[in-house]
Amino acid sequence: MEKMTKRERKEQKKAEYQEVLKKQKMNDMLKKFGIWGGAAAILIASVWGLFVLSTTTPSATTGVEAPAISNNDITIGSSSAQVSLVEYSDFQCPACAAYHPIVNQLLAEFEGKLKLAYRFFPLSQTHKNAMISAQAGYAAFKQNKFEDMYNMLFDTQNDWANENNAKDKFIEYATQIELDIEKFKADMESDEAKKAIQDDLSEGTKAGVNSTPTFFLNNKKIVTPRTYEDFKKLIQDEIDKK
């Protein structure tokens, strides 16, 4: 066997390094979409969701209405805001996680003028931790820390989406945002939490919600905007009407 020259060895190491980078890049992508274990179906669903986002045109209201925001709703933003945005959402939904920073940016840009009502719509048939994550969100709400948990759950979605005992993760998050842990655990498993989530599901279904995220602007269902600028324009148009 002929020995490789110094240059050949260098080229081989370069090729090996590039292959490692290639595999790492692929692994990072797979991890991002939460498809470890060969769950290709989730990747397909995510790709389809991104396709929809890229092809959907911004729209005014569709004519479908959601139940009006009430004192029972979990809200973020000023109670006197001119415009309300209702979001039916699933904490384990990749598309919801993709829209999370957009919604937060809208709340920041229209501070005082926009209020978000978050409504639970866990897709439990496809997302195994959808329900327990919704319960964690509700338990944080009971201690006036919903926004903290809402951000935590979406920001760390890839870390808990495929966990067999995601509850332990949520308890860690509750500790990080300084909740009363015993109360959090009790509220997370309470009948009150389960009923609140089921009520959102039932009302959303009656309003025609069948996927997440689904948005209602001033109680009117909208076609989900494909970009931040499209979303911003819809909200600005509502403000201009006032």
Side-chain angles (χ1 to χ4, degrees):
M1 181 181 296
E2 294 183 356
K3 292 184 177 180
M4 290 189 294
T5 65
K6 184 176 181 180
R7 182 177 179 180
E8 288 172 335
R9 288 197 298 271
K10 185 177 180 180
E11 290 295 323
Q12 183 185 47
K13 287 182 179 179
K14 182 179 178 181
E16 290 173 349
Y17 179 69
Q18 290 176 337
E19 184 64 21
V20 169
L21 286 180
K22 183 179 178 181
K23 290 180 179 179
Q24 183 62 48
K25 186 176 180 180
M26 178 61 73
N27 286 341
D28 288 344
M29 184 184 72
L30 296 180
K31 186 175 181 180
K32 180 179 180 180
F33 284 98
I35 59 170
W36 293 114
I42 298 177
L43 177 58
I44 292 170
S46 299
V47 171
W48 172 251
L50 292 174
F51 171 77
V52 171
L53 294 183
S54 68
T55 57
T56 300
T57 55
S59 171
T61 59
T62 64
V64 178
E65 295 190 9
I69 294 177
S70 72
N71 291 333
N72 294 326
D73 272 297
I74 297 175
T75 60
I76 299 173
S78 172
S79 60
S80 60
Q82 297 168 274
V83 177
S84 64
L85 182 67
V86 173
E87 178 182 3
Y88 283 90
S89 179
D90 173 355
F91 283 122
Q92 198 180 336
C93 162
C96 297
Y99 268 95
H100 172 242
I102 292 176
V103 172
N104 275 354
Q105 189 177 347
L106 291 168
L107 287 167
E109 180 149 353
F110 292 102
E111 185 177 1
K113 298 179 180 179
L114 177 66
K115 172 173 61 178
L116 171 71
Y118 184 94
R119 291 179 179 166
F120 302 106
F121 205 83
L123 303 175
S124 300
Q125 291 185 336
T126 53
H127 299 146
K128 69 178 183 179
N129 289 321
M131 181 58 75
I132 190 64
S133 60
Q135 291 169 222
Y138 187 84
F141 161 69
K142 293 295 291 182
Q143 295 189 49
N144 299 313
K145 287 285 187 82
F146 174 78
E147 187 172 356
D148 297 275
M149 184 62 77
Y150 156 86
N151 288 323
M152 183 78 76
L153 290 173
F154 277 132
D155 291 344
T156 63
Q157 186 186 82
N158 290 335
D159 296 334
W160 57 263
N162 293 311
E163 287 288 318
N164 290 325
N165 192 4
K167 190 189 305 183
D168 289 344
K169 282 280 188 184
F170 303 151
I171 292 171
E172 288 179 21
Y173 301 159
T175 301
Q176 291 177 40
I177 61 177
E178 300 181 339
L179 296 183
D180 178 326
I181 298 304
E182 293 308 311
K183 176 173 171 53
F184 174 78
K185 289 191 288 188
D187 287 338
M188 184 165 50
E189 297 290 355
S190 69
D191 290 339
E192 179 184 341
K194 294 170 185 175
K195 181 181 184 302
I197 294 164
Q198 187 57 54
D199 286 348
D200 280 356
L201 269 169
S202 298
E203 290 182 352
T205 300
K206 289 177 183 177
V209 176
N210 57 17
S211 62
T212 55
T214 294
F215 294 100
F216 291 77
L217 189 58
N218 280 345
N219 284 2
K220 302 286 187 178
K221 186 178 179 181
I222 59 172
V223 175
T224 304
R226 63 183 179 182
T227 68
Y228 175 77
E229 290 303 322
D230 289 337
F231 219 144
K232 177 182 173 181
K233 184 179 185 305
L234 289 179
I235 293 170
Q236 187 62 57
D237 288 346
E238 288 298 308
I239 291 174
D240 292 344
K241 293 176 184 177
K242 303 299 181 181

